[in-house]
Amino acid sequence: MAGRPIDARGWVFEVLDMDATEETWLPISGVNTFTHNPGENEETVDTTVFDSDGMYEQDVMQRGASLGLEGLYYVDKATGERDPGQAYVDTVWANALGVDSRGMIRWRHKSQTQWVVWEATVTPGEQGGGNNDKTSWSASFTRCGAPSTLAVTP
C-alpha cells in the first residue's frame, strides 16, 4: 500500500520553560504555517582535485537547521493572558543573551511517537496587521548542536 501525505495542521510545537522548577513544556498556539530548513547554516569545503577528472567534489564541514513558525498572536479570551508558548518566546527567551540565549524547542506531528528536540536560539519575528486583519506572530529557531528525540508520553 502506498503512503499517504500528512496534514500540515497536525504539527505540534512546544518550548521548554527554563525557569520552571520542574520540566514544563509550553505549547505554542496560533501557528498556521511552519518551515523546517534542514540545510540552514550548512558549510562545505571544495575537495575537487586533478584526480576528480573535472567533476566537482565537496565535503560537508558543518550541519545546521532552522525552524520558522508563523501564525496569529494568541490571548486567552476569558483572562486576556498571552498564549504561554508565545509569551515565553517573546518575553523570556528572545531577551536572553550569551549562554542564556539557548533554549529548548520540540515538535512532532500528532501521528508520531517521538518528538524532535533541539537546543536552539530564537529570533522573534514581526508582529502586525491591517484594518481587517488579526495580529500576526512569528519566530525563527536556529538549531545549536545535534538534534535529539524524546518519546511522546501521555
Side-chain angles (χ1 to χ4, degrees), residues 4-14 27-36 67-70 106-117 152:
R4 296 284 304 150
I6 59 175
D7 295 336
R9 70 178 55 147
W11 289 91
V12 180
F13 305 91
E14 297 182 348
I28 300 174
S29 299
V31 175
N32 61 22
T33 187
F34 76 97
T35 305
H36 173 225
L67 176 68
L69 304 180
E70 295 181 19
R106 69 182 184 181
W107 76 93
R108 69 178 178 91
H109 191 269
K110 291 178 181 178
S111 65
Q112 297 173 333
T113 60
Q114 293 211 338
W115 293 96
V116 173
V117 182
V152 174

Side-chain angles (χ1 to χ4, degrees), residues 74-84:
Y74 260 33
V75 297
D76 183 287
K77 184 178 174 182
T79 66
E81 294 288 320
R82 286 284 314 276
D83 171 75

Side-chain angles (χ1 to χ4, degrees), residues 4-72:
R4 296 284 304 150
I6 59 175
D7 295 336
R9 70 178 55 147
W11 289 91
V12 180
F13 305 91
E14 297 182 348
V15 291
L16 181 64
D17 183 344
M18 302 291 273
D19 297 327
T21 56
E22 58 186 56
E23 186 174 317
T24 304
W25 289 92
L26 305 170
I28 300 174
S29 299
V31 175
N32 61 22
T33 187
F34 76 97
T35 305
H36 173 225
N37 182 347
E40 184 80 15
N41 297 316
E42 181 178 276
E43 295 288 338
T44 62
V45 64
D46 184 341
T47 59
T48 308
V49 295
F50 293 160
D51 295 336
S52 301
D53 293 324
M55 296 293 145
Y56 177 78
E57 295 184 36
Q58 74 174 21
D59 288 342
V60 176
M61 301 304 290
Q62 172 181 295
R63 298 282 184 188
S66 66
L67 176 68
L69 304 180
E70 295 181 19
L72 301 175

